[in-house]
Amino acid sequence: MSLIVQKFGGSSVRDAERIRNVARIIAETYLKGNDVMVVLSAQGDTTDDLIAKAEEINRHPSKREMDMLLATGEQISVALCAMALEAMGLPCVSLTAWQVGIHSTTQHGDARIKLIDPDRIRMELDSHRIVIVTGFQGVDKRGDVTTLGRGGSDTSAVALAAAFRADLCQIFTDVDGVYTTDPRLVPNARKLEEITYDEMLELASQGAQVLHNRSVELAKKFRVNLEVLSSLERKPGTKVKEVTKVEKTNIAGVAKDTSIARVALVGLEHTPGIAFQIFDLLSRHNINVDVILQSIGREDSKDITFTIHRKDLDETLDLLNDNKATLHFDHIESDDHIGKVSIVGAGFMSNCGIASRMFEALYEAGINIQMINTSEIRISVLLNEEDVNRAVKAIHAKFFD
Ligand code: ASP
Ligand code: MG
């Protein structure tokens, strides 16, 4: 007998028919003699609809009340799923994060799970009930409901799997696994049988929208056996694990992100402490910086260019301009139509030809690279936003055709 966590995303529970389908998958797993813990997202577009409802009432609601509202979506799903299982004669119980005791930080809208009380769930599993838990939510030290950030149900599922040392955590979605790139853009993208945590983490944070990246971080930290698979078709998905079977000869995938802005501070003084001042200012305002490039100083001035999320551009420009007197730059240049294309693969370190093949693909497609950034298992290029899709196709063809 194993303990299996099964998480179903919004599209997998969007209506009565899909909920019955999910209940059948759960029932099958349970009737094989497993303990089953289920984690659900809100149905379909419920979370977006709730946000729209809030906006009709108040354009700037407090984050606490927003969480109070958004957490209701998942509560609907778990109750309906429990009813579907009841109708099949199966013992089950639905629980909110508050009832379980999924303790989180207070940061409404972006809370982190700190600790999960094992008692209630343990008791239910010991009585052979299927336990159905709301994803995406927690409860803070005051007892207030929090949410974990958009897409956070994956993280709830992995956190529960880690806390109960589950044998397997299955993430069911409407795609049947992790692909070498977005199959809607590149029809011959291939499904990966398996991928390492690190590769998945890089892909998730570089814009591949299969898994919430914090869920992958947690899975890696606690060695949770993860599998991404379809709730609509019964076939094997993609396994996410520590090491993959064979020595890798190719990259795992190509990801894109088109929500980027680039900022350049031109004519900075070439003295110690300038970079510190700039990035300290941004970090104090919770602005995440991704790629940073500093030009070689010429005479006594230098330029620093960096990228941020597009939503932070206005605030960043205001902050920098407000501090022009202390930062001593000549002027700012910015562009909010930047995209990033990345390739990810665990075998990079030992294969120097990979980068040149990527650049060759871009050269052949006539695409200009603005900035380049690498990690041990990733190479990213920053491009004009309009070149992104073409770049993904060209690079994917180079490595996989
Ligand atoms: N319902 C939440 C959202 O749409 C959480 C999730 O789906 O994982 O972001
Ligand atoms: Mg959702």
Side-chain angles (χ1 to χ4, degrees):
M1 192 185 70
S2 304
L3 170 60
I4 300 182
V5 174
Q6 300 190 310
K7 182 261 170 179
F8 298 90
S11 59
S12 299
V13 293
R14 73 163 181 227
D15 53 26
E17 194 196 320
R18 291 269 171 102
I19 288 182
R20 281 197 204 95
N21 171 57
V22 160
R24 281 192 294 272
I25 296 174
I26 299 166
E28 212 174 276
T29 313
Y30 175 78
L31 292 172
K32 281 184 189 149
N34 298 302
D35 282 339
V36 186
M37 220 188 294
V38 176
V39 176
L40 300 181
S41 292
Q43 292 185 282
D45 296 328
T46 301
T47 308
D48 291 321
D49 296 344
L50 290 170
I51 293 171
K53 262 191 210 298
E55 279 174 357
E56 277 175 34
I57 301 278
N58 178 346
R59 304 229 17 112
H60 302 287
S62 68
K63 290 186 170 174
R64 181 196 183 276
E65 297 311 329
M66 209 53 201
D67 278 356
M68 199 65 179
L69 179 70
L70 295 189
T72 62
E74 274 65 19
Q75 192 171 337
I76 295 175
S77 297
V78 294
L80 291 174
C81 179
M83 291 174 194
L85 287 164
E86 277 177 2
M88 297 166 77
L90 294 170
C92 62
V93 60
S94 67
L95 298 170
T96 62
W98 192 84
Q99 289 170 299
V100 171
I102 300 184
H103 298 282
S104 77
T105 59
T106 303
Q107 217 176 343
H108 287 290
D110 195 24
R112 307 286 141 131
I113 297 176
K114 291 201 303 197
L115 180 101
I116 300 179
D117 282 343
D119 298 353
R120 178 70 193 265
I121 289 185
R122 215 358 97 220
M123 184 186 92
E124 301 294 352
L125 291 175
D126 287 345
S127 335
H128 300 291
R129 290 198 188 92
I130 298 166
V131 180
I132 311 159
V133 183
T134 49
F136 179 55
Q137 53 179 262
V139 57
D140 74 0
K141 57 177 185 290
R142 281 192 296 255
D144 284 344
V145 177
T146 59
T147 66
L148 308 179
R150 296 305 305 269
S153 299
D154 292 339
T155 298
S156 310
V158 173
L160 282 161
F164 287 85
R165 301 189 200 293
D167 299 283
L168 178 63
C169 180
Q170 296 182 305
I171 308 282
F172 288 89
T173 86
D174 51 5
V175 293
D176 59 2
V178 181
Y179 278 75
T180 50
T181 195
D182 185 348
R184 285 165 302 188
L185 179 64
V186 181
N188 67 347
R190 292 207 316 250
K191 188 171 82 182
L192 298 163
E193 243 175 77
E194 47 184 37
I195 185 170
T196 65
Y197 292 122
D198 287 328
E199 289 171 332
M200 190 65 240
L201 198 55
E202 288 280 14
L203 282 178
S205 37
Q206 299 306 320
Q209 291 178 337
V210 222
L211 286 173
H212 197 227
N213 60 358
R214 267 160 51 207
S215 73
V216 188
E217 259 166 35
L218 265 188
K220 177 176 158 69
K221 187 164 167 198
F222 294 100
R223 297 288 148 92
V224 174
N225 263 321
L226 261 188
E227 188 183 1
V228 179
L229 67 177
S230 166
S231 64
L232 305 172
E233 286 172 282
R234 304 295 177 90
K235 55 180 179 188
T238 301
K239 296 204 167 64
V240 189
K241 50 196 231 184
E242 186 54 35
V243 271
T244 52
K245 270 181 279 174
V246 279
E247 196 170 358
K248 297 277 281 288
T249 54
N250 208 344
I251 65 170
V254 187
K256 64 167 185 171
D257 181 351
T258 50
S259 50
I260 300 170
R262 178 169 50 83
V263 177
L265 289 168
V266 182
L268 288 158
E269 260 174 51
H270 195 42
T271 50
I274 297 289
F276 166 65
Q277 281 183 43
I278 297 168
F279 297 108
D280 180 54
L281 177 68
L282 297 179
S283 91
R284 277 189 278 117
H285 289 81
N286 286 322
I287 293 169
N288 270 327
V289 174
D290 186 18
V291 182
I292 301 175
L293 199 81
Q294 176 179 307
S295 66
I296 297 171
R298 40 183 150 67
E299 287 158 28
D300 3 307
S301 94
K302 66 183 174 190
D303 305 339
I304 290 183
T305 307
F306 57 91
T307 63
I308 50 176
H309 194 284
R310 194 171 293 161
K311 70 170 172 26
D312 294 329
L313 180 60
D314 289 344
E315 190 186 351
T316 301
L317 295 178
D318 288 347
L319 269 173
L320 293 170
N321 280 316
D322 289 349
N323 289 278
K324 189 168 180 182
T326 45
L327 297 174
H328 304 294
F329 53 86
D330 182 67
H331 65 279
I332 304 180
E333 287 166 13
S334 71
D335 183 342
D336 65 351
H337 280 83
I338 300 292
K340 181 164 63 168
V341 176
S342 308
I343 59 173
V344 170
F348 278 7
M349 282 295 270
S350 50
N351 194 338
C352 54
I354 298 260
S356 71
R357 279 172 79 193
M358 179 184 194
F359 302 149
E360 183 182 23
L362 293 168
Y363 159 68
E364 286 164 357
I367 295 170
N368 219 357
I369 302 171
Q370 297 195 13
M371 291 163 93
I372 299 170
N373 171 262
T374 64
S375 82
E376 247 172 61
I377 64 162
R378 173 181 55 78
I379 304 170
S380 300
V381 290
L382 286 123
L383 314 162
N384 282 333
E385 190 182 356
E386 59 265 29
D387 290 333
V388 163
N389 285 348
R390 262 186 336 113
V392 170
K393 287 180 188 163
I395 294 167
H396 192 275
K398 186 63 108 196
F399 285 97
F400 292 101
D401 283 358

